[in-house]
Amino acid sequence: MDKMLTDLLFMSQKRKNLLLLLRDGGKTIEEITDTLNVTPMGMLPQIKKLKEELLVLQDQKEYRLTPLAEILVEKMQPLLDILEVIEEHKDFWQERDLSGLPPAFLERLNELKPYSLTKPDTDKLFETRPVFLENVEKSRDILSLASIFHPVFSDTLLRTEDKDAEITLIVTKRIYERLRTDFKKKLELYLKQEKKRLFVCDDEVKIAMMTKTEHFMMADFLTWKGAYDRESIISFEPAPIKWAEDLILYYRDQAQEIKG
């Protein structure tokens, strides 16, 4: 895209807001200024620039997007949403190794909003966070993916007392060997239950741990140094939960199921 056009689209908050507003149809200058809480004196110069670049046209008293602008604005919103996701916790995302994520899911990062970032208290670094336990224990449909071994597997996810809970675990080969060696009896009991499933995938998964239930999603990504720093993103909203579900199922579909 021409740099001048890129600047026109992204270097002015007023122009961005106007283009996104006109995506829903033509608006008069009164409707524009009222909705965007700006003055005509502040907005008319921006409209003039967009008209000169054939991104906005005037149809009597209404301003509308041109066909070219409709295409550009359709692509703008997801990008702006991704930027919003990243900028909310920029340092966190800059440290994460997302190179292993499938491109389709990187393009869907905008679906992670709204979310929050959680860190363990310094005196509880090696304890499972209550927010995780509370939501997993009340859930009946659990998907979990992991490339690290976490006590939550033996303590919570390999639970067998609740026969109605559907639990699907996707782990790397290293984690599977650890479970099979150190938690043999628990694993055998788990696999004997109809609604409990275990899949083993490639060891190159770069997601430390990701869990999705009908109530929430929680994800821990490794850093660029391959470290697990226990910072997690968590959300209770439908879009992030769906994003996590789709990603976990993506890895499940490439994994081998272990039968009891």
Side-chain angles (χ1 to χ4, degrees):
M1 185 184 293
D2 182 84
K3 186 177 186 301
M4 183 177 179
L5 186 54
T6 305
D7 290 347
L8 192 70
L9 291 172
F10 293 103
M11 295 302 290
S12 166
Q13 189 64 46
K14 288 180 180 178
R15 289 196 294 270
K16 280 192 295 187
N17 290 341
L18 174 61
L19 291 168
L20 294 171
L21 176 64
L22 295 182
R23 181 180 56 174
D24 299 327
K27 299 286 188 294
T28 64
I29 187 64
E30 291 80 10
E31 291 172 326
I32 292 170
T33 56
D34 287 347
T35 303
L36 300 182
N37 194 27
V38 295
T39 65
M41 289 289 288
M43 184 53 72
L44 286 172
Q46 307 305 328
I47 293 176
K48 183 175 182 292
K49 290 180 181 180
L50 293 170
K51 288 174 67 177
E52 289 172 351
E53 293 298 323
L54 303 180
L55 295 177
V56 168
L57 57 84
Q58 187 171 359
D59 181 8
Q60 297 182 3
K61 291 186 177 183
E62 284 192 339
Y63 294 97
R64 298 181 178 277
L65 296 178
T66 65
L68 172 61
E70 289 178 354
I71 296 172
L72 295 174
V73 173
E74 182 182 354
K75 302 297 182 181
M76 274 178 62
Q77 188 63 66
L79 176 58
L80 292 171
D81 288 343
I82 289 175
L83 291 173
E84 185 178 336
V85 166
I86 294 171
E87 288 174 354
E88 186 174 358
H89 298 287
K90 187 169 69 171
D91 290 344
F92 171 82
W93 288 108
Q94 287 176 335
E95 293 172 357
R96 300 307 111 178
D97 182 0
L98 303 181
S99 62
L101 283 185
F105 289 91
L106 286 172
E107 293 173 6
R108 291 175 55 191
L109 276 181
N110 59 297
E111 297 175 22
L112 281 179
K113 70 171 196 177
Y115 73 97
S116 58
L117 186 63
T118 69
K119 302 179 182 181
D121 295 332
T122 54
D123 61 336
K124 298 179 179 179
L125 285 175
F126 302 102
E127 296 180 18
T128 304
R129 268 162 277 184
V131 66
F132 180 90
L133 293 175
E134 290 166 7
N135 283 280
V136 166
E137 288 172 358
K138 71 181 182 181
S139 296
R140 293 294 175 267
D141 184 5
I142 302 167
L143 290 172
S144 192
L145 167 73
S147 67
I148 63 164
F149 184 83
H150 193 289
V152 75
F153 280 107
S154 58
D155 296 342
T156 305
L157 295 179
L158 284 180
R159 70 185 198 228
T160 55
E161 66 277 6
D162 185 353
K163 291 181 169 54
D164 292 327
E166 295 189 18
I167 304 177
T168 298
L169 305 179
I170 303 98
V171 300
T172 60
K173 295 175 183 177
R174 289 190 294 269
I175 304 305
Y176 173 57
E177 291 302 323
R178 175 78 183 276
L179 291 173
R180 192 170 65 167
T181 301
D182 296 348
F183 302 94
K184 183 178 179 181
K185 289 186 177 180
K186 272 194 172 184
L187 184 61
E188 289 175 350
L189 289 172
Y190 174 89
L191 291 174
K192 285 180 180 179
Q193 293 198 6
E194 182 182 357
K195 295 185 177 182
K196 310 297 188 289
R197 303 177 73 186
L198 176 68
F199 293 80
V200 177
C201 62
D202 190 85
D203 282 333
E204 295 304 312
V205 175
K206 294 185 178 181
I207 299 170
M209 189 168 180
M210 181 177 292
T211 300
K212 170 268 170 187
T213 79
E214 66 270 34
H215 300 296
F216 83 123
M217 64 81 68
M218 193 167 179
D220 294 35
F221 297 98
L222 297 173
T223 69
W224 281 107
K225 295 180 180 180
Y228 171 49
D229 61 8
R230 299 182 62 81
E231 289 191 62
S232 310
I233 63 171
I234 187 169
S235 181
F236 301 88
E237 299 299 324
I241 291 174
K242 177 64 172 152
W243 185 89
E245 177 182 14
D246 290 348
L247 183 55
I248 296 171
L249 292 178
Y250 168 86
Y251 284 104
R252 185 205 64 182
D253 291 344
Q254 300 182 65
Q256 177 183 358
E257 185 168 11
I258 304 298
K259 299 288 189 179

